[in-house]
């Protein structure tokens, strides 16, 4: 069985979650969606009603929150204080607020610790923004997924059943915030392999990731 750690980073709309889950299933490995953890932390902050720009208050809420995430690629599930929040973490309200919460350094420190604990002895595909750069620098392979802005907006709109124009605006805004924050901004690790998925379908991306994983193992 695969015992390594695969890091899959990149902006939203590159198809990361779909291919990460499929790769994990193919490897017989676990799967960790770190974005779902930042989203659950955001739901906690929204429920508590704290000001999202109050880093101290947001950190306190996240510290007191119990975020439990499944690492089974066939069975996504996130619980906040025992409550399933799988739908709520994908809501427009959560999506609009998540960049502010994930920009708080102390929130990142808490979630990175939790992520490292979940990764444990490996055998896992981990997706996020800072996995190869911060969370698990010895991951192999480290892949940075990209796609043209048009392709990303189209995919995201398809998933959400929303209009491409408004999704494009939302993606651009979130990327801007994620890449310019002071604490571990979205950036390609120097030793990451860049994989442009614009012209590839899901099977092609998974095949390529599988090749890279076998080569690194
Ligand atoms: O991957 P997903 O789009 O669900 O991530 C939601 C948000 O969580 C991102 O826009 C980013 O602000 C934050 N995030 C992060 N670091 C990660 C994963 C997600 O800052 N490793």
């Amino acid at each position: 069985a695969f015992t390594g750690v695969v890091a899959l980073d990149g902006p939203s709309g590159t198809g990361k979650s779909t291919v990460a889950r499929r790769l994990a299933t193919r490897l017989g490995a676990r799967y960790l969606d770190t974005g779902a953890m930042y989203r659950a932390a955001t739901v906690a902050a929204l429920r508590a009603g704290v000001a999202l720009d109050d880093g101290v208050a947001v950190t306190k809420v996240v510290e007191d929150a119990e975020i439990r995430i499944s690492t089974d690629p066939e069975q996504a599930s996130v619980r906040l204080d025992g409550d399933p929040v799988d739908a709520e973490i994908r809501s427009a309200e959560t999506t609009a607020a998540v960049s502010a919460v994930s920009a708080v350094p102390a929130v990142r420190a808490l979630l990175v610790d939790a992520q490292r604990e979940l990764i444990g002895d490996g055998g896992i595909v981990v997706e996020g923004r800072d996995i190869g750069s911060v969370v698990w620098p010895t991951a192999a392979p480290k892949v940075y997924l990209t796609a043209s802005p048009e392709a990303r907006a189209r995919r995201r709109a398809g998933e959400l059943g929303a209009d491409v124009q408004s999704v494009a605006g939302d993606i651009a805004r979130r990327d801007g915030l994620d890449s310019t924050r002071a604490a571990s901004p979205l950036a390609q690790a120097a030793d990451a392999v860049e994989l442009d998925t614009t012209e590839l379908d899901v099977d092609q991306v998974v095949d390529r990731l599988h090749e890279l994983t076998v080569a690194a193992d």
Side-chain angles (χ1 to χ4, degrees):
F2 176 70
T3 57
V5 177
V6 178
L8 274 186
D9 289 304
S12 55
T14 52
K16 246 183 345 202
S17 297
T18 306
V19 298
R21 202 172 275 130
R22 296 260 299 258
L23 176 66
T25 300
R26 184 139 150 200
L27 293 167
R30 295 179 299 134
Y31 160 69
L32 179 60
D33 176 0
T34 62
M37 297 173 75
Y38 286 97
R39 287 171 178 274
T42 303
V43 170
L46 291 171
R47 283 187 179 176
V50 294
L52 297 181
D53 59 359
D54 183 345
V56 173
V58 171
T59 301
K60 178 80 176 70
V61 170
V62 177
E63 220 160 30
D64 293 344
E66 192 202 21
I67 296 169
R68 308 217 20 123
I69 184 161
S70 152
T71 56
D72 178 349
E74 309 277 288
Q75 192 123 30
S77 105
V78 193
R79 284 171 183 271
L80 173 62
D81 299 325
D83 196 10
V85 288
D86 302 277
E88 205 173 340
I89 61 169
R90 307 287 163 200
S91 74
E93 190 191 8
T94 305
T95 300
V98 67
S99 293
V101 171
S102 68
V104 179
V107 167
R108 302 199 68 81
L110 288 167
L111 294 190
V112 167
D113 275 352
Q115 289 156 16
R116 288 180 176 149
E117 204 155 307
L118 285 161
I119 294 169
D121 295 327
I124 192 164
V125 176
V126 189
E127 70 150 292
R129 302 287 187 289
D130 60 344
I131 310 308
S133 53
V134 174
V135 175
W136 211 266
T138 58
K142 292 182 191 180
V143 184
Y144 192 82
L145 290 183
T146 60
S148 72
E150 297 75 25
R152 293 165 52 202
R154 233 184 305 113
R155 285 175 190 164
R156 212 41 168 205
E159 279 167 25
L160 300 170
D163 135 271
V164 177
Q165 228 39 38
S166 74
V167 173
D170 169 60
I171 288 181
R173 192 186 61 84
R174 204 140 58 88
D175 282 355
L177 292 169
D178 290 346
S179 342
T180 56
R181 69 178 176 226
S184 353
L186 168 68
Q188 182 173 348
D191 54 349
V193 176
E194 183 175 326
L195 180 56
D196 185 336
T197 67
T198 306
E199 305 289 339
L200 303 177
D201 65 24
V202 170
D203 286 333
Q204 291 172 313
V205 177
V206 175
D207 284 347
R208 181 74 189 118
L209 293 173
H210 191 260
E211 282 169 18
L212 289 167
T213 306
V214 170
D217 199 17

